[in-house]
Amino acid sequence: MQIGLIGLGKMGYNLALNFKSKGHNVVAFDVNKAAMENIANEGVPTAQTIGDLALAMTGRRVVWLMVPAGNVVDVVLSNLKYHLAPDDIIIDGGNSHFKDTITRARDLEKLGIHYLDCGTSGGVTGALHGVCTMIGGKPEVFNYCESLFKSISVDNGYLYCGKSGNGHFTKMVHNGIE
C-alpha cells in the first residue's frame, strides 16, 4: 500500500521503517529537517511540505499522522485537508482525545475525507518491529486499510473497535490500565 506519514518523532520514525520493511511505499514529512534527512538515509523518500507529500502519492491517498495530540493535529489537518480529495483517508495514530477525534471525523466527512483513529501501542520498539493498534472509524474504511494494520502489528495485534473515537477511547483505557 502507498502511505504518507506525517511525523518523524521516535514513534513515527520507527513506524516509517516498519512500513518500509513490510513492503509499503511510504513517503514521509516532518518539520524537523534532521529527522527527514535521517529517514531519507534509511531509504524512505521525503517530501518538503505537506502539499508535496500529497502530490507524491497517486490514486486513493492514505496519510498516517504520528504527531503530538492536541493543537498540532488540528494544525496539520487544517493544512492537509486542502491537498486531499474525497475518498482519501487520514489515520490519526497518536493519542488524541476521543471527543476531539469524533469532531475531526465529522468535520472531514463534510469534505468527503475519511478519518480513522488508531491508538498505537508498543513504544519505539513496537513501532519498529510490531505495534498493537486499536482502530475506530467507518467499517468500510477500516476494511480498505486492514492489510496495512495487519502488516505492521504483532500477530493478532490489531483490533477494529467500531465507530469514530472508539480506537482512541480504547487506547485511553489501555493507557490507564498500564
Side-chain angles (χ1 to χ4, degrees):
M1 176 177 279
Q2 183 180 43
I3 186 158
L5 175 66
I6 298 174
L8 292 170
K10 292 176 184 175
M11 289 284 289
Y13 189 94
N14 279 352
L15 198 57
L17 296 175
N18 188 343
F19 289 145
K20 181 178 178 249
S21 75
K22 300 305 185 292
H24 299 290
N25 181 8
V26 60
V27 59
F29 170 78
D30 196 289
V31 294
N32 181 327
K33 299 305 175 195
M36 295 245 295
E37 216 172 275
N38 291 337
I39 203 72
N41 289 335
E42 299 272 4
V44 174
T46 60
Q48 294 304 305
T49 67
I50 289 174
D52 290 342
L53 180 133
L55 286 173
M57 302 173 73
T58 58
R60 188 179 195 186
R61 291 169 285 203
V62 177
V63 180
W64 188 300
L65 307 184
M66 210 63 192
V67 299
N71 189 54
V72 175
V73 175
D74 293 318
V75 169
V76 170
L77 290 176
S78 70
N79 186 343
L80 181 60
K81 68 184 179 185
Y82 293 107
H83 302 286
L84 298 181
D87 215 30
D88 287 345
I89 301 166
I90 299 171
I91 301 170
D92 180 354
N95 283 324
S96 291
H97 191 279
F98 72 97
K99 289 182 180 179
D100 294 337
T101 296
I102 293 167
T103 300
R104 291 171 181 142
R106 184 182 59 239
D107 291 347
L108 289 166
E109 191 62 32
K110 293 174 186 171
L111 302 173
I113 299 169
H114 303 291
Y115 196 67
L116 293 176
D117 48 296
C118 178
T120 307
S121 183
V124 293
T125 302
L128 183 59
H129 299 291
V131 291
C132 290
T133 54
M134 297 144 264
I135 305 105
K138 290 185 172 180
E140 62 272 17
V141 180
F142 165 76
N143 290 340
Y144 182 83
C145 296
E146 184 175 10
S147 64
L148 173 66
F149 295 120
K150 183 176 183 178
S151 72
I152 63 164
S153 297
V154 296
D155 195 31
N156 296 312
Y158 72 99
L159 177 67
Y160 174 65
C161 300
K163 64 184 179 181
S164 291
N166 285 7
H168 282 148
F169 181 84
T170 304
K171 178 63 163 59
M172 179 184 69
V173 172
H174 163 86
N175 287 349
I177 292 170
E178 264 188 338

